[in-house]
Amino acid sequence: MTVLVLGGAGYIGSHAVDRLLDNGYDVAVVDNLVTGHKEAVRKEARLHIGDVRDKAFLRKVFTEENVEGVVHFAAFSVVPESMKDPLKYFDNNTGGMITLLEVMHEFNVANIVFSSTAATYGEPKQIPIKETDPQIPTNPYGESKLAMEKIMHWSDVAYGIKFVALRYFNVAGAKPDGSIGEDHNPETHLIPIILQVAAGKRDKLQIFGSDYPTKDGTNVRDYVHVVDLADAHILALKYLADGNDSNAFNLGSATGFSNLEILEAARRATGKEIPAVMAPRRPGDPSTLIAASDKARDILGWKPQYDDVEKIIASAWNWHEKHPNGYKG
Ligand code: NAD
Ligand code: UDP
């Protein structure tokens, strides 16, 4: 079966391509390399460099490739940037989805697995967050992704394009052999920033906000290993290939760690001191995000292998140590 992975040169997409190939899928990748790296894409996958919003380009890819399923990672995903430049997010994320669905409809491709996010829930009313809970984003990034879920819903109703929206919580870690990992410039995510401090590339960590209503005043997040996450996409493709209805699943561990707890775990995982200071809140941050993820376990049969946040951080540290300058060396 040929799977088209959009955004397959990115952090999560490259791990998904790796797992799809390991599981015997034929893989084609679309990526404009705006934040991705061609070195992250395994040679066995065919990389088409271009933009999801470019309809002529997408039509060419769908003509050349016998696409049977689509996995869509291509998006911008930096919350603070989306607060400053929301239209950039609606254009790339939401706009890209419209073009993709138009071309899928034209080529009779009826299955899509989509990277959604905990950011579609906004500030939750109850913890852990269930898939049926209200989705009221607190930032344009989350809003752009919620709009994409809704566009897929109406495309299912009208054209019969079935979708699985996987709502990731915080993704971290790297392939255990350290050959691929997270390389964003500028980096904005907590764990890679902590590891840059551990590696001496930054002076200190700034912890954004110490007055949240949480156990120690810092934000609480739910971390999932990128390889476990990648495997959930394969289960979602199988779920759709079996003729099931469109659906949405949370992907998380059901355990919350505060930013201070992550810092402590990183100090243990790396053996480094990692200086840190408290800083003002970052606009758009919900205080606590923890997933109820039994639905993915029950319906998709998802069995995450990494249940220990220190091991998740250790796998990211292994990638950092092997590639101190990311894909550049
Ligand atoms: P990433 O930036 O590493 O990967 C995104 C990839 O998409 C990049 O390779 C980029 O070049 C490509 N891309 C972006 N816009 C494109 C376009 N218009 N046309 C073609 N290619 C384009 O990000 P990531 O961390 O791997 O995230 C992947 C997906 O997962 C995103 O959709 C993101 O919203 C979602 N997500 C990520 C997290 C997380 O913790 N990293 C959490 C929730 C959801
Ligand atoms: N964070 C932080 N310092 C940093 C980067 C992030 O304190 O340099 C915090 C951020 O405010 C949030 C948590 O770490 O509370 C996770 O942020 P990240 O950007 O990794 O993921 P998000 O939860 O926004 O998807």
Side-chain angles (χ1 to χ4, degrees):
M1 171 176 175
T2 301
V3 177
L4 181 66
V5 181
L6 301 112
Y11 166 48
I12 303 171
S14 59
H15 285 82
V17 168
D18 185 63
R19 295 298 294 158
L20 281 162
L21 289 167
D22 282 353
N23 281 272
Y25 288 86
D26 179 56
V27 180
V29 170
V30 159
D31 203 297
N32 64 2
L33 304 178
V34 64
T35 56
H37 308 269
K38 57 175 183 303
E39 301 81 0
V41 182
R42 258 171 68 177
K43 298 276 173 292
E44 302 95 302
R46 295 176 298 284
L47 172 60
H48 300 263
I49 299 175
D51 198 297
V52 177
R53 292 161 295 178
D54 179 347
K55 203 177 203 177
F57 161 73
L58 263 199
R59 280 189 176 130
K60 188 165 171 288
V61 173
F62 275 75
T63 305
E64 284 172 16
E65 301 286 354
N66 180 26
V67 180
E68 290 157 282
V70 166
V71 187
H72 184 30
F73 295 98
F76 292 138
S77 57
V78 179
V79 169
E81 184 189 51
S82 81
M83 297 291 284
K84 290 199 186 102
D85 198 355
L87 296 181
K88 177 175 172 179
Y89 278 68
F90 291 112
D91 176 30
N92 195 46
N93 299 0
T94 318
M97 177 62 96
I98 295 170
T99 310
L100 174 60
L101 288 170
E102 282 170 344
V103 176
M104 285 177 66
H105 180 43
E106 208 175 302
F107 284 79
N108 293 315
V109 178
N111 291 341
I112 175 167
V113 178
F114 166 62
S115 302
S116 190
T117 166
T120 61
Y121 293 111
E123 190 64 61
K125 297 256 173 333
Q126 57 173 25
I127 294 290
I129 303 170
K130 293 199 187 70
E131 287 83 353
T132 47
D133 286 351
Q135 288 176 289
I136 308 169
T138 53
N139 56 63
Y141 162 61
E143 198 76 71
S144 74
K145 289 267 163 169
L146 179 58
M148 293 162 90
E149 286 198 9
K150 291 184 174 170
I151 290 167
M152 287 191 301
H153 166 73
W154 293 111
S155 297
D156 179 7
V157 172
Y159 318 124
I161 298 176
K162 300 288 171 207
F163 68 92
V164 167
L166 297 175
R167 296 181 190 145
Y168 318 157
F169 282 60
N170 289 59
V171 187
K175 185 176 175 180
D177 71 0
S179 58
I180 50 176
E182 190 164 7
D183 179 5
H184 292 133
N185 188 15
E187 188 51 75
T188 59
H189 288 130
L190 180 65
I191 290 177
I193 284 181
I194 289 178
L195 297 182
Q196 287 178 350
V197 180
K201 296 173 119 189
R202 285 177 191 250
D203 292 349
K204 55 183 181 298
L205 169 72
Q206 294 189 64
I207 298 177
F208 300 138
S210 52
D211 58 350
Y212 286 97
T214 59
K215 46 191 159 188
D216 58 24
T218 64
N219 281 165
V220 171
R221 294 288 182 269
D222 178 341
Y223 291 84
V224 56
H225 194 276
V226 66
V227 174
D228 284 333
L229 190 83
D231 285 344
H233 294 73
I234 297 175
L235 295 169
L237 280 169
K238 287 187 181 139
Y239 168 91
L240 290 174
D242 288 345
N244 290 298
D245 275 342
S246 295
N247 217 331
F249 300 94
N250 288 342
L251 297 179
S253 68
T255 316
F257 292 91
S258 74
N259 293 342
L260 276 173
E261 287 173 332
I262 292 293
L263 174 62
E264 285 309 324
R267 284 174 171 153
R268 289 193 299 275
T270 62
K272 306 278 181 185
E273 189 192 339
I274 314 181
V277 294
M278 291 301 175
R281 286 182 177 204
R282 188 175 72 172
D285 272 343
S287 98
T288 299
L289 294 173
I290 302 173
S293 59
D294 22 309
K295 186 176 168 190
R297 290 163 207 257
D298 293 348
I299 297 179
L300 297 179
W302 186 50
K303 291 191 197 74
Q305 304 297 309
Y306 286 82
D307 54 4
D308 177 345
V309 81
E310 208 173 308
K311 287 199 185 121
I312 294 180
I313 297 171
S315 76
W317 182 234
N318 181 38
W319 150 257
H320 267 260
E321 287 204 301
K322 289 195 164 130
H323 301 268
N325 300 309
Y327 287 100
K328 286 188 188 66

